[in-house]
Amino acid sequence: MARRRVPVAIGWLDRLAAGAPVAVFAAVGRDAIERVEDLSLDSRIVWVASPRHADVLLVAGKVRTKDDQALRAVHDQIPAARKTLWWGSEPFEELVEPTVLPLADDASPHVLKLRASRAKNEPDLLPDKPPNPWQGVGPNGQGGKGMMGGVPYGRPMAMTDADGRDGLQLDQTTVQIGPYLQTWPCGLVLEVVLQGDVLQRARVVRAPFGPTKGTGEDVSSRLRSAARLLVLLQLDGLAERCRRAAAAHDREEAVDLAALPGAVHRSGVFAAVPVGLGACRLEGAETDVRSRLRAWLGDDAEQPKGATTARKPKLAGLLTGLEWNEAMLVINSFTPYQLRGMAPSEKATDEGGGDEPNGEHAAMEHAH
């Protein structure tokens, strides 16, 4: 019997794909964001924004029990053959022979090995059914309740309402965002009412995690905060520069930061961010997104205009009325320590254990 020949082109493409960076989606839990950011500096690894674009799911840090359902949904979106690295986190019991690694260990070689492995595809962790039952419900079996209401075809029906800014009649949609996004505070879950791309209301469902240590106001933490904001502004090169400087500072290496503010200024970032966006009073000073970024970079030259808030601000109040892109800038313009105080959970059932990671309060029941 003649042996089956593999076309040369296919073999060449396989070798080319094998040399490409590993696409990793990171679901970041408690006390792990710095480790994930340092891992992203490895040129062999690409941190992607969607699990649907990932080769490997990286679950880093301890995961709250209340976030399990969201993590399962992320897991099931990884394309086949999906593989997961549990880096300082506890794997789900449904997974057979999961790859587990202490958070103190280097994850790079394990990520590369997972992508190259021919391990069996991990099974789905959620049932293949819509979250809202709709078939056969309503006058036409579409899940609606006539002209208005219900969950037609499984999706809650958007309801029209007057827009607060210009009076346009647009659909309002309530969605829950977080906790697993690339440019998002670790642990934060928001429920927002969107009308178009404008946030009409916001509510904190689960509070974000605090900093790994101290108040998170040291040089390294400020540089990492600046990098997260620069990524949102699509200044990935400057963001990487900040992260590399932060990693070097953590290793107690000499770091020259004098040229960094000038490089960021020349990028045009301060022309792109409106003056007064996210204006509030923090620690006795009037600040906005621009001034907070300048402070992280060691440049306090500019003072914001229009910030008149006397009380400690609440995150939900700062987001109301903003477009989504503006809201993302405001959310990422605060350090984890500041956000922890600004975004307490507004849901009574989340208090008293909602922020505890798996394994720490095993006797407590956590409802999703």
Side-chain angles (χ1 to χ4, degrees):
M1 181 181 294
R3 295 179 63 184
R4 183 178 179 183
R5 295 175 61 87
V6 178
V8 175
I10 294 179
W12 178 80
L13 287 173
D14 286 344
R15 290 193 297 272
L16 184 64
V22 182
V24 171
F25 182 84
V28 186
R30 190 187 299 273
D31 298 340
I33 183 60
E34 294 89 352
R35 298 288 287 156
V36 173
E37 290 172 340
D38 290 348
L39 181 69
S40 70
L41 297 175
D42 191 324
S43 61
R44 301 170 297 174
I45 294 173
V46 175
W47 186 5
V48 295
S50 169
R52 298 186 185 276
H53 301 158
D55 300 316
V56 173
L57 170 63
L58 178 67
V59 184
K62 293 186 180 295
V63 177
R64 287 180 303 206
T65 304
K66 287 192 175 183
D67 294 335
D68 279 357
Q69 193 78 352
L71 181 56
R72 291 172 186 271
V74 167
H75 173 274
D76 289 358
Q77 292 179 67
I78 303 292
R82 71 171 67 96
K83 304 174 181 70
T84 306
L85 175 60
W86 300 85
W87 194 22
S89 54
E90 294 293 330
F92 293 128
E93 59 184 13
E94 300 96 315
L95 300 177
V96 179
E97 297 182 356
T99 304
V100 183
L101 185 69
L103 191 59
D105 290 0
D106 181 9
S108 295
H110 297 271
V111 169
L112 298 173
K113 184 178 179 180
L114 268 179
R115 200 270 297 269
S117 73
R118 298 184 179 274
K120 187 178 179 180
N121 183 48
E122 294 177 357
D124 289 345
L125 298 177
L126 292 176
D128 185 14
K129 63 180 183 180
N132 299 304
W134 60 272
Q135 291 179 316
V137 178
N140 299 300
Q142 86 286 11
K145 296 182 179 180
M147 292 294 293
M148 307 292 284
V151 285
Y153 304 99
R155 298 179 180 274
M157 187 172 185
M159 306 297 288
T160 58
D161 200 355
D163 185 274
R165 299 185 309 172
D166 48 28
L168 292 176
Q169 292 283 325
L170 298 173
D171 288 346
Q172 283 194 352
T173 305
T174 301
V175 295
Q176 195 169 105
I177 301 172
Y180 302 122
L181 296 171
Q182 186 182 35
T183 51
W184 190 257
C186 297
L188 177 63
V189 179
L190 283 182
E191 183 182 88
V192 298
V193 178
L194 289 168
Q195 196 164 21
D197 64 346
V198 177
L199 274 74
Q200 299 293 355
R201 292 187 297 280
R203 181 176 66 85
V204 177
V205 177
R206 285 193 283 282
F209 299 132
T212 302
K213 54 185 178 180
T215 63
E217 297 294 340
D218 57 282
V219 172
S220 174
S221 298
R222 292 199 299 268
L223 287 170
R224 293 181 186 279
S225 294
R228 293 165 199 147
L229 198 55
L230 292 171
V231 166
L232 278 175
L233 294 161
Q234 299 184 8
L235 296 170
D236 292 345
L238 286 170
E240 181 177 336
R241 188 170 167 182
C242 289
R243 285 177 177 167
R244 289 194 180 280
H249 186 271
D250 288 341
R251 296 191 298 267
E252 298 184 353
E253 298 176 3
V255 182
D256 183 9
L257 303 177
L260 197 53
V264 173
H265 183 81
R266 288 191 297 273
S267 72
V269 63
F270 295 108
V273 178
V275 175
L277 178 63
C280 63
R281 179 179 290 275
L282 275 179
E283 298 164 2
E286 304 292 344
T287 70
D288 62 1
V289 172
R290 291 164 57 125
S291 64
R292 290 191 284 272
L293 176 57
R294 286 185 180 275
W296 289 338
L297 297 170
D299 180 3
D300 298 309
E302 181 185 27
Q303 296 298 323
K305 301 175 182 178
T308 58
T309 305
R311 296 181 301 171
K312 189 173 184 179
K314 296 297 183 183
L315 180 63
L318 290 176
L319 301 180
T320 303
L322 297 181
E323 295 182 3
W324 178 247
N325 65 313
E326 296 173 328
M328 285 294 287
L329 290 173
V330 171
I331 290 170
N332 282 275
S333 71
F334 298 101
T335 66
Y337 179 78
Q338 291 167 337
L339 273 178
R340 182 69 178 174
M342 294 170 57
S345 171
E346 298 176 24
K347 192 173 183 180
T349 55
D350 282 340
E351 296 175 358
D355 294 338
E356 296 299 335
N358 289 339
E360 293 189 9
H361 283 5
M364 240 178 233
E365 288 190 13
H366 299 268
H368 290 292

